[in-house]
Amino acid sequence: MVIVLGVSGGIAAYKAVVLARLLVEDGHEVHVVPTDDALRFVGVPTWEAISRNKVTTSVHDDVAEVRHVALGQRADLVIVAPATANTLAKMAAGLADNLLGTTLLATQAPVLVAPAMHTEMWRHPATQANLATLAGRGVHVVGPDSGRLTGSDSGPGRMSEPAAIAARARRLLAPGDLTGLRVLVSAGGTREPIDPVRFLGNRSSGRQGVAVALAAADRGAEVLLVAANVDGSVLGEVEGHPSIRIESAGSAAELQQVVEAGAGTSEVVVMTAAVADYRVAGVAEGKIRKEDADAPPVLHLVENPDILAGLVARRRPGQTVVGFAAETADSEEELLDFGRRKRRRKGVDLLAVNRVGWNAGFETATNTLYLIDGEDRAIGRVEGTKRAAADGLWDAVAALRPGSPAAPA
Ligand code: C5P
């Protein structure tokens, strides 16, 4: 997608550099349009290096390609971050005395502004009236946050963090093809207790599952995210999302309870969580103490129920069940072979298999998912950030849903 990032002249321009990078990492074509004032904070070389595109600020540059309207016409989204009081006022009045102004008037794409200014300027009736005018025209607003401002003062006026602005951008760019769909996503990894202080666990961070939940919500779904020991920083990405409800589960038994209760009202279930295959038999009531033992303790394991296979067995008509498989494999062929076998064993409509190892799959920001459909066909490979992989997964799920032109007969 083509994103124009307008940057106006506030100190928060330095944070917009991080925003530009996040948008590029998401795979977008990013064009930065700084105002002259913004260039006093961050210069052209920085914007060009980060956006990987040429930067112009004047309506008199590249006149032959009619750049003053071309950027706005091509854009799928225009973001103004930081949006100063002055730029917001100019937008409200429809002024076009710089390239950002002409771009904003020429675009039919959604516009997202991230205001940044001192608290007094933010609270001024003129700024509030301009903002109301813009909101009335459908302009989206993110922030401002409250907190430390340029000087020693603090209050509302701080530009939203780049990650929060990027998250809103993703929501605005998402296709909306899952609107109205109720989706359950499990994420993270279970912990099987040994005694009150110890557990058997796995290295799943929950990042991929959280990305799957977020992508679905951004595309219009109502999501129940069942989080098994997901790190607070990862869960923070979805907290407060209007379409995501989070429920926590610790062990496989707890996860089973929450998932089975939620699956009855979900049209799609995606089991991203790494569920322990075994639990400890006879969990100790008190801490197992070395001093009390003559020899190292032996843990007896019993098999956990396969939650996914159970969901498939009780699948409602029209319900789509998706499984995940994390495998160590020597080759792509072997990985797909493991995936096919697991797909058959679980009976799911779609299985996403990814390679894991000492240095792959876990706690990383990127992933590669191989998708296997209900007929055991390898239907694609999606890779990139865990969010990009999640969107690829949802493209495949959407194509499987009843009513989709690509759905199997
Ligand atoms: O057999 P394996 O654990 O590799 O299968 C992985 C898939 O099965 C994942 O989707 C996982 O959430 C699910 N699973 C489950 N219940 C288990 C074990 C795995 O639902 N006890």
Side-chain angles (χ1 to χ4, degrees):
M1 298 263 190
V2 177
I3 300 182
V4 170
L5 174 59
V7 183
S8 54
I11 182 65
Y14 82 91
K15 289 209 270 181
V17 177
V18 179
L19 173 61
R21 205 175 73 182
L22 291 174
L23 300 172
V24 171
E25 277 173 4
D26 274 355
H28 301 300
E29 178 184 330
V30 177
H31 295 275
V32 181
V33 181
T35 63
D36 285 337
D37 250 18
L39 291 177
R40 297 169 76 109
F41 293 97
V42 180
V44 168
T46 302
W47 296 122
E48 290 192 338
I50 295 290
S51 71
R52 301 175 197 169
N53 277 309
K54 195 177 147 194
V55 168
T56 48
T57 53
S58 162
V59 285
H60 306 298
D61 292 337
D62 298 320
V63 177
E65 45 180 87
V66 208
R67 196 165 171 84
H68 71 289
V69 291
L71 275 177
Q73 286 169 337
R74 283 193 58 223
D76 295 299
L77 174 69
V78 180
I79 303 174
V80 185
T84 57
N86 182 51
T87 288
L88 289 171
K90 281 162 86 170
M91 287 174 73
L95 293 181
D97 62 350
N98 56 15
L99 187 61
L100 179 57
T102 58
T103 302
L104 283 160
L105 285 187
T107 196
Q108 296 195 344
V111 175
L112 172 65
V113 295
M117 64 201 74
H118 277 275
T119 304
E120 295 80 355
M121 296 170 79
W122 170 248
R123 288 196 175 132
H124 195 284
T127 304
Q128 290 303 313
N130 289 332
L131 216 80
T133 301
L134 293 172
R137 281 185 208 144
V139 168
H140 304 269
V141 184
V142 53
D145 291 348
S146 263
R148 179 91 191 269
L149 301 169
T150 324
S152 55
D153 48 349
S154 69
R158 218 176 123 91
M159 188 176 86
S160 282
E161 289 306 313
I165 304 171
R168 274 297 282 279
R170 287 185 199 115
R171 219 186 301 171
L172 289 168
L173 287 168
D177 54 349
L178 306 179
T179 300
L181 210 63
R182 288 167 303 175
V183 162
L184 186 153
V185 179
S186 69
T190 65
R191 289 180 179 177
E192 307 304 315
I194 298 170
D195 66 16
V197 294
R198 304 184 181 95
F199 58 83
L200 292 179
N202 60 70
R203 289 177 58 204
S204 175
S205 63
R207 273 179 223 283
Q208 184 62 73
V210 166
V212 168
L214 197 53
D218 285 351
R219 291 165 80 142
E222 286 299 320
V223 180
L224 169 60
L225 171 63
V226 185
N229 309 296
V230 177
D231 220 54
S233 64
V234 177
L235 217 49
E237 288 172 40
V238 287
E239 267 159 359
H241 193 296
S243 308
I244 300 181
R245 189 160 64 83
I246 304 172
E247 283 202 34
S248 297
S251 63
E254 286 169 23
L255 191 86
Q256 180 179 25
Q257 218 171 33
V258 183
V259 165
E260 287 182 355
T265 51
S266 304
E267 279 97 23
V268 182
V269 179
V270 185
M271 281 290 289
T272 323
V275 183
D277 291 324
Y278 304 100
R279 67 179 180 279
V280 178
V283 175
E285 273 306 314
K287 186 182 165 191
I288 301 171
R289 294 167 56 84
K290 202 171 170 182
E291 296 96 285
D292 301 342
D294 310 327
V298 175
L299 296 179
H300 288 282
L301 302 180
V302 287
E303 200 168 334
N304 276 328
D306 192 317
I307 305 167
L308 189 56
L311 291 177
V312 170
R314 287 187 299 278
R315 178 171 34 193
R316 297 184 297 128
Q319 190 176 45
T320 307
V321 182
V322 182
F324 263 72
E327 302 287 354
T328 52
D330 293 330
S331 66
E332 197 174 299
E333 232 164 65
E334 191 183 34
L335 186 71
L336 285 172
D337 190 46
F338 286 151
R340 285 197 182 92
R341 278 196 262 161
K342 187 152 294 178
R343 208 290 315 154
R344 271 196 295 276
R345 200 153 38 78
K346 308 260 178 182
V348 288
D349 303 293
L350 187 71
L351 187 94
V353 55
N354 69 305
R355 199 183 287 192
V356 289
W358 293 110
N359 301 311
F362 299 113
E363 294 139 21
T364 57
T366 58
N367 206 2
T368 303
L369 300 178
Y370 295 81
L371 305 178
I372 297 167
D373 74 2
E375 318 270 276
D376 289 334
R377 286 175 303 209
I379 55 166
R381 194 177 88 151
V382 288
E383 62 186 325
T385 58
K386 287 188 171 171
R387 170 57 188 253
D391 269 310
L393 178 79
W394 283 114
D395 290 342
V397 173
L400 286 177
R401 293 290 306 154
S404 152

